[in-house]
Amino acid sequence: MQVIAEHCPAPVPPPGSRGIDEILAAARARLDRLDPERAHLAYRAGALLVDIRPAAQRAAHGFVPGSLAVERNVLEWRFDPRCPARLPEAVDYDVPVVIICQEGYTSSLAAAALQDIGLHRATDVDGGFAAWRIAGLPALGPTPLHHAFPLASPVTAGWARR
């Protein structure tokens, strides 16, 4: 039996909770979001461009050469200057960090989380990697997830050369 959502009453949200649209709007209200061209200029001027997309998404769509790949699930640990798991680039709270995701939604939430840690210059790319690509900015890929292997194994291939 298929249930159609429009016939089901919406659950009553708990008091004090916010929907994702409200959370996203609040995050973006704190950010000086950069269009792809401004993000590229900031990156060229020394800002860290951090790609938070999963490896499979970077492989499928491409990536910005020189960007740091730090998946979203570990971002705060890698950029908190207080954390022993931080990256060498996370030297202080004044580091300019520009977050990029695929379309510019997750990156806004991630940049706001970095601001919560104290990285007051954290922001994101409006429109994400998709907008970066459309703007014609430097990008590599996509790349296949699996490399084609030769038919002969390396062991067999070594014997064939003798």
Side-chain angles (χ1 to χ4, degrees):
M1 179 175 148
Q2 183 179 9
V3 178
I4 300 174
E6 59 193 49
H7 297 299
C8 297
V12 177
S17 68
R18 298 181 296 159
I20 188 59
D21 291 335
E22 293 171 285
I23 293 168
L24 182 63
R28 287 181 171 170
R30 299 189 296 163
L31 303 174
D32 177 20
R33 300 186 77 210
L34 305 178
D35 63 35
E37 292 81 4
R38 283 181 56 213
H40 185 242
L41 290 173
Y43 171 56
R44 290 187 57 196
L48 297 175
L49 183 63
V50 181
D51 191 333
I52 61 169
R53 298 173 299 157
Q57 201 170 33
R58 291 190 310 272
H61 298 279
F63 62 96
V64 178
S67 62
L68 292 173
V70 179
E71 292 191 17
R72 177 66 189 97
N73 62 328
V74 296
L75 182 70
E76 290 87 347
W77 286 271
R78 299 299 182 255
F79 279 93
D80 185 348
R82 295 169 275 226
C83 182
R86 72 183 175 276
L87 292 172
E89 294 86 355
V91 294
D92 62 35
Y93 297 94
D94 198 42
V95 173
V97 179
V98 179
I99 306 293
I100 191 167
C101 68
Q102 187 60 32
E103 294 182 353
Y105 293 94
T106 306
S107 59
S108 295
L109 300 174
L114 291 183
Q115 285 189 356
D116 289 342
I117 288 172
L119 285 104
H120 63 98
R121 297 174 69 187
T123 191
D124 76 323
V125 179
D126 191 356
F129 184 76
W132 182 282
R133 212 27 137 170
I134 290 168
L137 295 168
L140 297 174
T143 57
L145 282 177
H146 304 287
H147 298 286
F149 293 101
L151 293 177
S153 73
V155 174
T156 310
W159 284 103
R161 281 188 246 138
R162 292 184 182 177

